[in-house]
Amino acid sequence: MTTAPSVFGTVHLGYLVIETQRFADWRRFGADAIGMHHDALDIDRMRFRLDDQECRFLLVRGPAEDVVAVGWHVDDHASFEQVETRVRASGIPYKQGTEQEAAARGVERLLRFPGPKGITQEIYTTPKLKTEPLNMLARGFVTGESGMGHVAITTTKPTLMRGYFAHVFDARLTDYIDETINGAKLKIRFLRVNERHHSIAIAAVKGAPIDPIRTRVQHLNIQVAELDDVARSYQRVHELGFTMALSVGQHTNDKELSYYAVTPSGFEWEVGWNPIVIDEATWEPSTHQGISVWGHKPVGQTIIDVLAQFKAGALSLAQTEKTVPQLSGTGIPDD
Ligand SMILES: [Fe+2]
C-alpha cells in the first residue's frame, strides 16, 4: 500500500544522468545541434543546462551508452520524506547521495534507489541555480511546474512498471496509445506526476515478452518554448550529420509538435513544442489509435535498422528484465 498523503503534483522530472564514451559527439549534439548550454566539469563529466538550474543532463564517462539515472525534483521536505518512507519500508537498498554526487547534479538532499530496468531513481529537494547567463542556440525551454520533459521506456513488464511509478510517486494514468510499428502491436501507457501530460511513457509489445530496444530508455523529450526552435534545431541536427529518427509531426494524445533525432549513444531525443497541460478537475483517460495525427515519418530507416530491432527483441527473450517488485505494489493492471 502507498503511504498517504499523496505526493502527486510535488514531483517534477529534474535531470537525467547519461553514461557514454562519446563526449565529443555528445557536445556537438547537445550544444551545436539541439542548442543547449554546455558546461565541461572535468575530463570524465560534462553537463547541459536548459534554464537557471545548474544541471539538466549530467554525462559521465562509461560504457553504457544509455540513460542510467533519472532525477526527480521534489518540491518540499515533507513530500521528499514521504517518498523516502516508501523506499525504506520496501526493504530495498537505497543510498544517500554523496556530497560529490549531489554537487555533480547541482542539487541538495539527494537520495538514490533502484528503479525499473536498472535505471536508478533519484530524488532531491533543492536545485542549485546558476547566475551565469545561458549561452545556447535555443531561445528557451519549458520546465518549471511541468518539469523538464519526459522519458519513454520499453518494457516486457508494463504492469509492474506502472505500479512502480504509482507506488513511489503517485503517478496517474493520463491515457493510452495503441500503435503498430514494424509489424509489432504496441500499447503505450502515459503517466503524469504533475500538470505535464506525461513525465513517463511505458511502451510494451502486446502479447509477447519482447523488448525491441537495446537501451533502457527508448527516447527522452525536452520542450522548447518557441515553435521556431523546433525548426531551427531540426535543421542543425540534419546539417551537422546526426541521424534523424522521425520527421516533424504531431502526437495524437498530448498534441505536442515534435521530431526525434538519434543521440550519439543510440537512444532517441525528442524536441517538442506546446503539449497540452492537464486539468485534474476534468481529465478522463482514453485510448488513442496511433502516435501521430500527422508526420513523424521514419527518416532514412534502413532494413538494417529494422533487423537490428528484431535482433534486440530476440535477445531480450533470453534476458530477465530488472524489476523492483518491492516498490511496485501489486502492479497496476490496465483499466
Ligand atoms: Fe515522447
Side-chain angles (χ1 to χ4, degrees):
M1 284 293 285
T2 295
T3 319
S6 174
V7 298
F8 181 87
T10 69
V11 179
H12 320 273
L13 181 60
Y15 61 78
L16 297 173
V17 183
I18 295 166
E19 195 180 292
T20 179
Q21 307 277 19
R22 300 170 187 158
F23 268 41
D25 288 343
W26 262 105
R27 185 190 172 140
R28 261 164 37 88
F29 180 81
D32 303 341
I34 301 301
M36 298 182 288
H37 175 104
H38 173 265
D39 283 316
L41 292 190
D42 54 42
I43 184 99
D44 292 321
R45 295 177 309 165
M46 65 183 201
R47 300 196 290 215
F48 293 112
R49 284 172 62 197
L50 301 178
D51 53 17
D52 58 357
Q53 213 160 301
E54 256 186 26
C55 175
R56 289 300 190 173
F57 296 94
L58 171 65
L59 282 75
V60 295
R61 207 174 286 278
E65 302 303 341
D66 206 347
V67 172
V68 293
V70 176
W72 300 93
H73 179 194
V74 180
D75 280 342
D76 56 79
H77 291 283
S79 299
F80 183 98
E81 278 146 25
Q82 266 302 320
V83 176
E84 189 174 15
T85 300
R86 294 170 192 175
V87 173
R88 196 185 308 123
S90 76
I92 58 160
Y94 64 96
K95 287 184 189 149
Q96 306 291 338
T98 64
E99 230 167 84
Q100 197 193 22
E101 285 164 346
R105 291 154 175 77
V107 301
E108 285 173 15
R109 201 174 186 192
L110 176 67
L111 188 80
R112 312 177 68 220
F113 50 94
K117 280 191 93 176
I119 307 169
T120 301
Q121 302 295 305
E122 307 185 346
I123 55 171
Y124 64 96
T125 48
T126 314
K128 291 188 190 153
L129 306 181
K130 276 258 189 203
T131 45
E132 180 197 321
L134 289 159
N135 175 17
M136 61 184 188
L137 293 172
R139 290 171 197 185
F141 295 93
V142 178
T143 52
E145 271 303 294
S146 292
M148 80 159 176
H150 62 252
V151 176
I153 310 173
T154 52
T155 181
T156 59
K157 317 258 188 205
T159 302
L160 273 181
M161 195 178 286
R162 186 177 155 195
Y164 179 94
F165 289 105
H167 181 76
V168 177
F169 295 122
D170 296 305
R172 297 178 181 169
L173 176 79
T174 302
D175 48 27
Y176 300 109
I177 289 180
D178 289 334
E179 174 67 287
T180 303
I181 295 174
N182 295 333
K185 283 196 190 326
L186 288 177
K187 188 177 190 77
I188 315 174
R189 296 142 176 92
F190 295 83
L191 306 184
R192 70 184 184 281
V193 290
N194 54 51
E195 66 177 17
R196 184 177 286 282
H197 176 278
H198 61 284
S199 296
I200 294 280
I202 298 171
V205 176
K206 277 189 188 175
I210 293 174
D211 185 343
I213 306 297
R214 176 194 68 80
T215 47
R216 285 170 260 198
V217 161
Q218 191 274 328
H219 77 264
L220 60 87
N221 164 290
I222 54 174
Q223 183 187 343
V224 291
E226 293 180 39
L227 176 57
D228 222 32
D229 272 329
V230 175
R232 284 169 188 242
S233 62
Y234 186 91
Q235 184 76 14
R236 292 192 301 262
V237 166
H238 180 70
E239 283 172 2
L240 290 171
F242 291 104
T243 307
M244 200 62 78
L246 299 177
S247 65
V248 176
Q250 189 174 23
H251 284 305
T252 47
N253 58 346
D254 66 0
K255 307 288 185 275
E256 188 171 39
L257 194 136
S258 69
Y259 69 86
Y260 295 68
V262 180
T263 67
S265 293
F267 57 86
E268 295 176 12
W269 186 293
E270 181 181 21
V271 174
W273 174 73
N274 205 28
I276 60 167
V277 169
I278 300 297
D279 176 359
E280 293 297 331
T282 56
W283 186 261
E284 294 283 347
S286 59
T287 299
H288 297 262
Q289 300 303 317
I291 63 165
S292 309
V293 182
W294 56 269
H296 287 145
K297 299 295 178 208
V299 181
Q301 197 187 33
T302 65
I303 188 71
I304 307 268
D305 301 323
V306 175
L307 286 174
Q309 283 188 359
F310 276 106
K311 192 175 161 205
L315 282 174
S316 74
L317 281 172
Q319 288 168 355
T320 309
E321 183 178 319
K322 281 187 189 161
T323 59
V324 192
Q326 305 95 315
L327 273 175
S328 305
T330 49
I332 297 186
D334 291 323
D335 302 318

